[in-house]
Amino acid sequence: MKIIVVGGGGREHAIIKKLKENKQVEEIFALPGNGGIAADATCVDIGAKDIPAIVDFAVKAGIDFAVVAPDDPLVLGAVDALQAKGIKTFGPNKKAAIIEGSKAFSKDLMKKYNIPTASYETFTDMEAALSYIENCPIPVVVKADGLALGKGVIIAETKEQARQAVRDMMEDKVFGESGSKVVIEEFLTGPEVSVLSFTDGKTVIPMVSSMDHKRALDGDKGLNTGGMGTIAPNPYYTDEIAKVCMDTIFKPTIEAMNKEGRTFTGCLYFGLMITEKGPKVIEYNCRFGDPETQVVLPLLESDLLDIMLKIYHGKLDEAEVKFADKNACCVVMASEGYPQKYETGFEITMPADKNIYVAGAKLKDGKLVTGGGRVLGVTETADTLKGAIDAAYETVKSVNFENAYFRTDIGQRALMAERK
Ligand code: AMP
Ligand code: GLY
């Protein structure tokens, strides 16, 4: 089988490594991939958003199966375009990807179908948004409606900050058209849990839960990033909470999308907050999370390609989806200065026999050099969470590049929760 994986980060590297475990796989092409992914797949210089070029390549290369991993091409309709040419594809179509593509859509869906989430109002008129803020409790959360590279969420501690966020999004268009509509919502508190799930629109199978670490600095301080590390499973996600989530969130969401004529197939990511009033949805993503995938897939014992093919054929109920009863930790190594200014082009040396997922790196004169903010993620698994954390930090020591920066406390909050 010949496969393409659209995307070029650590998440795609983890998907590719897992797909390669299936003996039927002859060749994987990564579009565009990166210098590190090149060790595991053939990288083709086609951008993940260049849908006509992706389809053209897939047809000419005689591709049997396509996996579209990032949000942008999914929301733009890459799955529809590939399937229109008869290529079997994993991922939601454009109509279903709106669950991530528009926060106003996903909030209205939850309200209509009674799926627990923060209360909210949606605005397309700036003056109305500004006057709403006058009477709402603080802190309050201001969100740009569309995709904003994970940066379109402002937690405002004061009314002035909330007003500023609204003006930035609606008047100054700092997130472009993504901000022409804003959602203003209630601030919730509680531990956050990421649950990725497989679904064919009929069956929904949650994967092992995980915990992201979004802030740049130790102690959850500093700026928001794409994610500085993850652990799985998440100790806050108990069996009891898992059951509540299945009954009040996962199944109702799949059914709601069906009722709306927007059947979702692929990986649906539930970003949850475990509040005092029970689990609530913070966000949906229409795809695998990054860097959640880098701890979830290494724990998957079943065959990923088989699961994806079963989803394509609407037979997920026949797939085996089994996770190891173990723990995983992924420590992201970034370029010093990320998520703001940073330098790249430094040579990377790392062991070849470890689970290292490369995100931002390129090949230069045959050598792997840094090429992005998040450079790579080091994942280790072990019988205990502490074992996985210690092993990941041990492997981090054997990875070297100039200006490397990583958090030193990935998994520590989870360890404390475990001890409670
Ligand atoms: P999102 O881009 O929707 O994942 O939001 C980014 C982060 O903002 C989340 O992971 C939460 O930590 C935080 N956040 C979003 N919505 C809320 C909310 N209603 N209450 C508290 N925190 C929130
Ligand atoms: N790690 C969060 C995300 O993938 O959106």
Side-chain angles (χ1 to χ4, degrees), residues 103 107 117-123 129 132-133 136-145 150-159 161-166 169 181-189 192 224 273 281-283:
K103 293 202 195 298
K107 295 296 293 189
T117 188
S119 60
Y120 72 103
E121 291 291 336
T122 303
F123 298 93
Y132 176 79
I133 287 169
C136 70
I138 292 294
V140 68
V141 185
V142 182
K143 298 184 172 184
D145 175 54
K151 292 177 190 147
V153 175
I154 305 294
I155 314 259
E157 307 279 353
T158 63
K159 289 202 171 160
Q161 275 176 14
R163 286 191 288 263
Q164 192 57 47
V166 165
M169 288 177 196
K181 208 186 253 184
V182 299
V183 172
I184 301 182
E185 72 177 33
E186 171 199 9
F187 175 76
L188 300 176
T189 52
E192 286 185 61
N224 256 322
M273 195 172 268
V281 177
I282 289 284
E283 62 163 347

Side-chain angles (χ1 to χ4, degrees), residues 46-320:
I46 293 176
K49 287 196 270 186
D50 191 349
I51 294 175
I54 293 169
V55 174
D56 193 49
F57 175 83
V59 170
K60 287 195 180 131
I63 293 300
D64 302 293
F65 194 65
V67 178
V68 181
D71 47 1
D72 281 316
L74 289 167
V75 170
L76 291 170
V79 172
D80 312 58
L82 285 159
Q83 288 187 346
K85 293 286 180 193
I87 294 163
K88 298 189 180 106
T89 307
F90 176 85
N93 63 16
K94 187 175 178 174
K95 268 182 105 174
I98 192 175
I99 198 165
E100 173 169 6
S102 166
K103 293 202 195 298
F105 170 86
S106 66
K107 295 296 293 189
D108 290 348
L109 184 86
M110 289 185 269
K111 188 187 265 180
K112 183 169 171 188
Y113 293 94
N114 266 321
I115 297 166
T117 188
S119 60
Y120 72 103
E121 291 291 336
T122 303
F123 298 93
T124 46
D125 177 69
M126 191 173 76
E127 291 311 317
L130 291 173
S131 70
Y132 176 79
I133 287 169
E134 289 319 305
N135 297 315
C136 70
I138 292 294
V140 68
V141 185
V142 182
K143 298 184 172 184
D145 175 54
L147 297 181
L149 295 168
K151 292 177 190 147
V153 175
I154 305 294
I155 314 259
E157 307 279 353
T158 63
K159 289 202 171 160
E160 184 43 35
Q161 275 176 14
R163 286 191 288 263
Q164 192 57 47
V166 165
R167 284 192 216 104
D168 286 347
M169 288 177 196
M170 302 187 89
E171 195 168 55
D172 298 338
K173 299 262 183 239
V174 294
F175 303 117
E177 279 315 302
S178 286
S180 42
K181 208 186 253 184
V182 299
V183 172
I184 301 182
E185 72 177 33
E186 171 199 9
F187 175 76
L188 300 176
T189 52
E192 286 185 61
V193 180
S194 305
V195 180
L196 321 189
S197 70
F198 289 116
T199 179
D200 61 359
K202 293 176 277 192
T203 306
V204 54
I205 305 182
M207 299 179 223
V208 63
S209 62
S210 52
M211 182 192 285
D212 195 2
H213 297 69
K214 287 202 168 97
R215 301 293 199 92
L217 308 176
D218 280 5
D220 295 322
K221 301 219 161 61
L223 294 171
N224 256 322
T225 71
M228 294 303 294
T230 36
I231 58 97
N234 184 325
Y236 289 104
Y237 191 71
T238 59
D239 289 348
E240 194 189 342
I241 287 174
K243 188 175 178 324
V244 174
C245 288
M246 182 53 102
D247 294 341
T248 65
I249 296 173
F250 305 161
K251 280 186 185 158
T253 300
I254 298 301
E255 282 160 19
M257 290 296 275
N258 286 338
K259 287 196 185 121
E260 294 295 307
R262 296 177 183 273
T263 294
F264 189 102
T265 74
C267 172
L268 181 55
Y269 166 131
F270 298 91
L272 308 170
M273 195 172 268
I274 314 297
T275 73
E276 276 178 2
K277 292 185 189 152
K280 294 192 180 188
V281 177
I282 289 284
E283 62 163 347
Y284 293 114
N285 292 324
C286 65
R287 51 171 175 88
F288 284 98
D290 189 343
E292 284 89 342
T293 306
Q294 291 91 310
V295 283
V296 169
L297 289 187
L299 294 174
L300 179 64
E301 287 181 332
S302 312
D303 185 85
L304 180 61
L305 180 59
D306 179 64
I307 297 169
M308 289 181 162
L309 284 168
K310 291 249 165 57
I311 288 174
Y312 176 79
H313 291 292
K315 294 189 170 157
L316 180 60
D317 58 332
E318 293 174 12
E320 185 207 68

